[in-house]
Amino acid sequence: MFQDDLLKGKRALITGGGTGLGKSIGRRYAELGADLIICGRRVEKLQETKEVFQRDIGATVTIHQCDIRDPDAVEAMMSDIWSSGSLDILVNNAAGNFIAQTKDLSHRAIDAILGIVLHGSAYCAVACGRRWIEANRPGVILNILTTSALYGAAFQVPSAMAKAGVASMTRSLAVEWGPKGIRSVAIAPGPFPTEGAGSRLRPDDLDDFPMADDIPLRRVGEHSELSNLAAFLVSEEAGFINGEIVVIDGGKSLQGVNGSATQSMQNWDDTKWASIAEKTRGR
Ligand code: COA
């Protein structure tokens, strides 16, 4: 899909890059020539990913153990990264989420999610933005949201609130930092299964409610589809895209907007449609 050197010479930091979607995005960036920096809380996961990328694609990967909820840890990581060269791309990917009845959430549970998604993304964006502005360098921030940022998500309220805040940060910084050559963009993915999301969002066997059933394309997303979009958006080919939130969900978020009646119409056969035509023609 892309030239092999699309991201050559670019240095990209992906938060939560050791696992899940962040790992898939990192792999694609490295394949396209980027020098990769990944951070996360679990150093063994980061190390494992680094070794896989080095072995499979000969990637240059640096790892940083960092809990992005801690502003001092973020600052220390950024200082260290910038001491060996500037960064070109920040991907705010690290997230935390679980399903629960909102009435039962403790304040610490709410804070845990807001701390990672809302505060952590802001700490990273500001730490990078300040350095880009001081050095008079361009940069790109890519925020990984979910469609809950746009439409909300029952039983995942802290995550939806936090992602909505990051969506607002995307649009706000696009305007504030655009004149300085810093782009701010986001992706709002629908269902892209990962181990982490599976255990937290679908902990029970939900065979009676297959995920693909309420997606118009009748399938979940492939990681390669998301990581290619993530590569395009941070590349110079997307240089005029700023403040945009790209939904990639197979049309899932529009399903409800089209009404529940549409759902059952999807299952009507030709005989049913013929009888409907009889009843509606000429009226
Ligand atoms: N339901 C309700 N409350 C929960 C919970 C759940 N599934 N998981 C954690 N909590 C609560 C804890 O009980 C605690 O509150 P309390 O002290 O009042 O009891 C609070 O949240 C913090 O939990 P703790 O385990 O100390 O936090 P943590 O920082 O280690 O974990 C999480 C953060 C909760 C977000 C954890 O799920 C995590 O680390 N996730 C990272 C990966 C992830 O979620 N990825 C997204 C996949 S979609």
Side-chain angles (χ1 to χ4, degrees):
M1 178 165 180
F2 300 119
Q3 293 170 11
D4 289 347
D5 61 352
L6 185 76
L7 299 178
K8 195 164 177 56
K10 304 289 186 194
R11 256 177 123 214
L13 168 63
I14 303 179
T15 65
T19 54
L21 290 178
K23 182 177 177 182
S24 298
I25 293 170
R27 175 183 281 276
R28 193 67 183 120
Y29 283 11
E31 284 170 355
L32 293 168
D35 283 355
L36 206 58
I37 304 160
I38 54 176
C39 74
R41 283 179 294 173
R42 291 170 297 168
V43 77
E44 61 285 358
K45 283 280 167 203
L46 297 168
Q47 188 59 38
E48 200 180 296
T49 298
K50 174 180 172 163
E51 282 163 18
V52 171
F53 288 178
Q54 281 177 334
R55 188 192 62 217
D56 292 359
I57 38 182
T60 308
V61 185
T62 309
I63 64 174
H64 280 273
Q65 183 174 24
C66 178
D67 185 340
I68 59 165
R69 287 177 287 193
D70 176 351
D72 293 336
V74 169
E75 230 358 85
M77 172 176 71
M78 291 296 181
S79 293
D80 199 42
I81 291 171
W82 284 75
S83 69
S84 59
S86 54
L87 201 64
D88 302 288
I89 297 160
L90 165 67
V91 182
N92 275 321
N93 163 78
N97 197 6
F98 51 76
I99 53 167
Q101 296 192 88
T102 307
K103 69 181 178 58
D104 294 333
L105 289 175
S106 73
H107 62 86
R108 278 185 293 270
I110 295 168
D111 290 352
I113 305 300
L114 293 180
I116 300 169
V117 179
L118 184 63
H119 296 182
S121 301
Y123 298 155
C124 291
V126 170
C128 265
R130 190 176 59 244
R131 286 172 171 82
W132 280 325
I133 291 164
E134 279 169 7
N136 199 20
R137 287 187 61 94
V140 191
I141 300 170
L142 170 63
N143 297 311
I144 307 299
L145 310 173
T146 72
T147 47
S148 68
L150 308 171
Y151 305 109
F155 305 104
Q156 300 173 47
V157 169
S159 170
M161 291 165 61
K163 295 282 189 183
V166 179
S168 184
M169 182 176 80
T170 308
R171 293 177 172 134
S172 306
L173 291 182
V175 175
E176 186 173 332
W177 289 351
K180 303 183 186 306
I182 300 166
R183 290 192 300 119
S184 182
V185 290
I187 297 177
F192 284 81
T194 63
E195 205 183 307
S199 61
R200 290 180 180 86
L201 306 183
R202 298 172 63 84
D204 279 341
D205 182 8
L206 296 180
D207 280 348
D208 55 335
F209 176 49
M211 218 191 284
D213 268 12
D214 61 349
I215 301 170
L217 291 179
R218 295 290 182 263
R219 68 173 178 86
V220 295
E222 301 280 345
H223 281 216
S224 61
E225 293 170 318
L226 185 97
S227 52
N228 277 326
L229 176 61
F232 168 67
L233 284 175
V234 302
S235 75
E236 281 165 18
E237 303 305 316
F240 202 50
I241 300 179
N242 189 25
E244 186 60 28
I245 298 170
V246 182
V247 173
I248 176 167
D249 72 344
K252 182 177 191 289
S253 50
L254 299 174
Q255 181 103 309
V257 179
N258 276 260
S260 55
T262 318
Q263 282 271 43
S264 60
M265 285 179 213
Q266 298 272 21
N267 299 322
W268 290 355
D269 60 15
D270 287 348
T271 313
K272 174 79 175 172
W273 279 114
S275 88
I276 295 290
E278 278 298 308
K279 290 177 188 159
T280 55
R281 276 209 180 95
R283 295 190 180 209

